[in-house]
């Protein structure tokens, strides 16, 4: 063990009474799902830049996700987006994943790229379009069954651009009707994640605009429906960790789409813009894991951690590895919070003491800890360097230019 690791462990264990073996165990168990679309070419509304080495189909996206899992050891599943990842035989796709130690995670319906959806999908005024959208949702549940995934992750682009363009209350009813049908097609062990976003592509109103609406819908639908928090889907200044704690307490937090943003839904590499926010999210989750209510504890322990990124200019696989490592870093820091000290300060109304007890964990350099954890897991201590040295970056160049993109 390096000196740095020794001193860090001393600080955590001896001075703060946090068991280092527990901390290591927790880090090893934090599974992070990567998105198939994060390996493809993506862009902005101005340009999708084409790169060499991009996967040409769903199978090759899985190969890239498998590479990320091999190097990090913590990304055992990959989310798919239908129809981006549509294949003839989903059983074969799942098999392909299994061969590489992966499984298929959340199935994401796509209700935003068909011409028919210009004015909405499940909220469209045209019953034929609504029916088509519902059929797609049901198709995705079928896909989930075929790939043996228990998670459907739904984000809707439905909304309007101008006041008066549509009857908002009527659309709310249509939304509920479709989701109720979708919900009733789920197997008992399946979960439906409802993801909200306040704007884009619609600029005036969005039918599923915020966590309150998603929360309400999830309550109406039933136990298997939960809210998904995408960290890039809030107005500037929103206290995301507060939303997280509220949903945890209501036992309605299902999962995350991690990414970073500076201005809007930028889908940048996790932890590059506001790592403190991510740390504070984990603080709320770890706090909820200690709740007196078993239901709250269970909710906190069953969160689906997923990355949702679009890499416009950066090489996709290293960007994904960087994201995974950044999530681990903030999680490891949050694990170093002295919760006893925080509680004590709260009880004493010690504002500065409480703030300090939380922040000082954020200021730890946990990299020696993560190196030890990676060593124990048998993965490279420096996954990014290992990727560059692996030959894989060169190997994928054989795919040429013009791979999968949205
Ligand atoms: C959306 C949302 C969804 C993702 C699409 C690609 O903004 O974040 O989760 O499926 O982008
Ligand atoms: Mn998302
Ligand atoms: Mn998004």
């Amino acid at each position: 063990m390096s000196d740095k690791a020794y001193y860090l462990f001393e600080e955590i264990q001896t001075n703060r009474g946090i068991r280092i073996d527990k901390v290591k165990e927790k880090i090893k168990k934090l599974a992070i799902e990567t998105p198939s679309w994060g390996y493809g070419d993506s862009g902005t509304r101005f340009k999708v830049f084409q790169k060499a080495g991009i996967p040409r189909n769903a199978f090759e996206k899985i190969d890239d996700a498998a590479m990320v899992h091999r190097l990090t050891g913590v990304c055992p599943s990959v989310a798919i987006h239908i129809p981006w990842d549509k294949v003839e035989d989903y059983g074969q796709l799942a098999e392909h994943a299994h061969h590489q130690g992966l499984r298929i995670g959340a199935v994401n319906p796509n209700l935003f790229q068909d011409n028919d959806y210009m004015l909405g999908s499940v909220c469209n005024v045209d019953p034929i379009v609504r029916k088509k959208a519902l059929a797609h949702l049901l198709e995705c549940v079928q896909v989930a069954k075929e790939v043996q995934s228990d998670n459907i992750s739904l984000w809707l682009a439905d909304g309007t651009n101008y006041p008066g363009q549509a009857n908002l209350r009527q659309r709310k009813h249509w939304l509920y009707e479709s989701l109720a049908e979708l919900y009733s097609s789920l197997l008992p062990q399946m979960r439906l994640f409802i993801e909200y976003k306040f704007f884009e592509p619609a600029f005036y109103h969005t039918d599923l605009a915020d966590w309150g609406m998603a929360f309400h819908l999830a309550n109406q639908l039933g136990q298997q429906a939960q809210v998904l928090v995408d960290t890039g889907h809030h107005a500037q200044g929103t206290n995301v960790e507060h939303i997280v704690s509220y949903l945890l307490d209501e036992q309605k937090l299902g999962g995350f789409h991690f990414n970073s943003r500076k201005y809007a839904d930028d889908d940048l590499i996790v932890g590059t813009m506001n790592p403190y926010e991510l740390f504070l999210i984990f603080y709320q989750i770890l706090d909820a894991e200690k709740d007196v209510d078993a239901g709250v504890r269970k909710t906190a322990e069953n969160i689906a951690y997923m990355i949702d990124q679009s890499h416009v200019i950066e090489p996709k696989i290293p960007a994904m590895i960087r994201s995974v490592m950044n999530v681990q870093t903030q999680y490891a820091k949050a694990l170093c919070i002295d919760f006893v000290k925080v509680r004590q300060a709260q009880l004493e109304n010690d504002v500065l003491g409480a703030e300090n007890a939380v922040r000082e964990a954020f200021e730890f350099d946990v990299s020696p800890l993560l190196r030890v954890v990676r060593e124990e897991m048998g993965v490279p201590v420096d996954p990014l360097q290992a990727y560059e040295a692996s030959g894989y970056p060169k190997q994928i160049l054989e795919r040429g230019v013009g791979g999968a993109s949205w």
Side-chain angles (χ1 to χ4, degrees), residues 139-198:
E139 175 198 352
C140 287
V141 175
Q142 189 50 39
V143 171
K145 290 176 186 168
E146 284 170 39
V147 298
Q148 284 168 26
S149 165
D150 290 336
N151 297 338
I152 301 287
S153 190
L154 177 70
W155 170 72
L156 286 180
D158 287 46
T160 61
N161 272 5
Y162 295 98
Q165 187 189 319
N167 181 328
L168 306 188
R169 289 195 320 284
Q170 176 68 75
R171 286 173 71 104
K172 173 173 172 282
H173 292 269
W174 285 328
L175 172 59
Y176 174 71
E177 279 163 28
S178 292
L179 293 203
E181 291 239 22
L182 163 64
Y183 188 86
S184 63
S185 76
L186 299 176
L187 295 173
Q189 76 275 17
M190 285 181 162
R191 289 198 282 174
L192 171 64
F193 300 139
I194 304 175
E195 177 179 1
Y196 56 91
K197 175 159 110 164
F198 73 123

Side-chain angles (χ1 to χ4, degrees), residues 342-361:
V342 179
R343 285 265 149 74
Q344 197 53 40
Q346 288 173 345
L347 289 174
E348 290 165 9
N349 268 332
D350 178 2
V351 178
L352 285 182
E355 190 276 338
N356 187 55
V358 172
R359 185 191 18 80
E360 67 183 1

Side-chain angles (χ1 to χ4, degrees), residues 196-199 205-214 233-234:
Y196 56 91
K197 175 159 110 164
F198 73 123
F199 91 108
H205 112 284
T206 296
D207 290 285
L208 239 173
D210 64 24
W211 72 273
M213 296 179 199
H233 287 191
H234 309 88

